[in-house]
Amino acid sequence: EIMSQQLVLARMQQQIGQEIHCSDWLEVTQQRIDAFAAATGDHQWIHVDPERAARESPWKATIAHGYLTLSLYPMLRGLVDGDRPVFEGVRQVINYGLDKLRFPAAVISGSRVRARCVLLEVETVEGGLQVCEQYTVEVEGQAKPACVARAIMRLYF
């Protein structure tokens, strides 16, 4: 355990400031947006009413909730596939929180997004490592990102 933690720490220290992950593209469907609305109780028309959005929204279509875009982080980052651990020897990855979060642009229903992650910091904490990275969600064909966050996770070995 300690050996694999030291190896991961040493490897990550050399990657600070570098992009360490770029996900595949994911289509953000209206079905996914509707499911997020159902899960959170946020049924604002800009998210769930395509006809009204086509008439009244500046995007002329429904858009994903900002927090939906944020919540894609574990999946897009590859943290949820039990068969493919993101870090060697890690038995548990815990979402520890965010330092900063912005939603510079909208994700229009039907568009594709992907995550790019840049390693910012890594440090030893009791029982493991704390990793801070910048999570940026790109929207295909858009200059501005949809989400930029400083995400913090804890790795336990």
Side-chain angles (χ1 to χ4, degrees), residues 5-6 9 13 122-131 154:
Q5 179 176 324
Q6 289 172 335
L9 175 62
Q13 284 172 329
V122 58
E123 62 185 333
T124 303
V125 293
E126 189 176 331
L129 299 175
Q130 180 168 296
V131 177
R154 293 241 167 132

Side-chain angles (χ1 to χ4, degrees), residues 33 36-37 40 42-44 47-48 63-70:
I33 294 168
F36 190 84
T40 60
D42 181 350
H43 296 278
Q44 286 186 77
H47 304 303
V48 299
I63 60 170
H65 307 69
Y67 286 114
L68 166 55
T69 307
L70 173 65

Side-chain angles (χ1 to χ4, degrees), residues 26-34 45-50 53 57 59-65 68-69 106-113 139 142:
L26 172 76
E27 183 181 353
V28 179
T29 62
Q30 187 62 49
Q31 183 179 6
R32 185 181 293 270
I33 294 168
D34 291 344
W45 65 268
I46 61 168
H47 304 303
V48 299
D49 187 338
S57 140
W59 299 280
K60 301 299 178 202
T62 54
I63 60 170
H65 307 69
L68 166 55
T69 307
V107 176
I108 296 167
S109 176
S111 57
R112 296 196 324 156
V113 299
V139 182
Q142 265 182 219

Side-chain angles (χ1 to χ4, degrees), residues 37-136:
T40 60
D42 181 350
H43 296 278
Q44 286 186 77
W45 65 268
I46 61 168
H47 304 303
V48 299
D49 187 338
E51 290 78 23
R52 184 173 175 189
R55 287 193 317 269
E56 299 178 34
S57 140
W59 299 280
K60 301 299 178 202
T62 54
I63 60 170
H65 307 69
Y67 286 114
L68 166 55
T69 307
L70 173 65
S71 73
L72 295 172
Y73 172 68
M75 182 187 60
L76 292 177
R77 181 62 178 87
L79 300 175
V80 296
D81 185 348
D83 297 330
R84 296 176 59 204
V86 142
F87 304 100
E88 202 177 314
V90 171
R91 61 179 171 77
Q92 200 169 33
V93 178
I94 302 295
N95 170 13
Y96 196 67
L98 304 167
D99 276 343
K100 187 176 182 181
L101 169 64
R102 297 289 182 270
F103 300 113
V107 176
I108 296 167
S109 176
S111 57
R112 296 196 324 156
V113 299
R114 73 174 169 193
R116 300 189 90 106
C117 299
V118 173
L119 182 61
L120 300 175
E121 300 164 16
V122 58
E123 62 185 333
T124 303
V125 293
E126 189 176 331
L129 299 175
Q130 180 168 296
V131 177
C132 179
E133 57 186 35
Q134 181 164 298
Y135 166 63
T136 301

